[in-house]
Amino acid sequence: QEVSIMAANDEQVAEWKECFELFDKDKDGRLSADELISVMRSLGQVLTASEAAETKTACGGAVDFDSLVKLLKERGPAKTNVASLVSALEVLNPTGAGEFGVGDLKALVTGIGDKLSPEEFDEICRVAGLPDSGTVESKYFAARILNPKAS
């Protein structure tokens, strides 16, 4: 089952505007490359530093709200599914047991790439109803992360 993390509709555009305003730290109506990366990540998209720089250049050096909307609509909704997330978690599961150490995942996401803070990781686990330590089954973890409100 595929889960849409981001839908492109009028309600979503209002959410994008709120997110844009939240991350526009200097309130100049334009996003820096770092702000753009943060906005995209908060909307379930992955944007690398080089992609952010290219986007900023393509927008004449400034990413305003209209440019952000255009970018989001061009990229389409971010989608993932349980199987693809379980596959990504295999890096933490070298024995093939179908489970991994939550501490290993925490070390990975707080130490590499677009890092989460330890507090952000703990909050994600709390909201999804997941343990913040010990081991967890990969399929269960993936299902809870993709649908944290499910029982």
Side-chain angles (χ1 to χ4, degrees), residues 13 16 28 31 146:
V13 172
W16 295 344
D28 66 352
L31 299 175
L146 295 175

Side-chain angles (χ1 to χ4, degrees), residues 21 32 34 90:
E21 291 171 352
S32 69
D34 287 341
E90 286 179 11

Side-chain angles (χ1 to χ4, degrees), residues 25-146:
K25 299 292 184 199
D26 58 6
K27 306 299 181 203
D28 66 352
R30 298 178 304 210
L31 299 175
S32 69
D34 287 341
E35 290 169 340
L36 178 59
I37 290 169
S38 296
V39 167
M40 296 298 282
R41 184 168 65 172
S42 74
L43 295 172
Q45 297 274 344
V46 176
L47 191 70
T48 66
S50 61
E51 289 172 323
E54 289 171 17
T55 300
K56 201 171 167 194
T57 300
C59 294
V63 179
D64 60 13
F65 181 68
D66 291 338
S67 300
L68 175 68
V69 170
K70 182 179 178 203
L71 175 64
L72 288 165
K73 286 184 176 182
E74 287 172 357
R75 290 176 70 101
K79 293 192 183 264
T80 194
N81 61 42
V82 171
S84 64
L85 186 51
V86 168
S87 178
L89 291 168
E90 286 179 11
V91 69
L92 300 172
N93 182 19
T95 64
E99 63 182 30
F100 62 91
V102 176
D104 294 336
L105 178 61
K106 186 174 187 175
L108 183 68
V109 301
T110 61
I112 297 174
D114 284 334
K115 300 174 193 130
L116 292 176
S117 72
E119 295 79 16
E120 288 171 321
F121 179 82
D122 292 343
E123 176 67 9
I124 290 168
C125 288
R126 187 192 65 72
V127 169
L130 293 163
D132 59 5
S133 63
T135 60
V136 66
E137 184 183 82
S138 298
K139 286 181 184 176
Y140 176 76
F141 179 85
R144 295 298 300 184
I145 289 296
L146 295 175

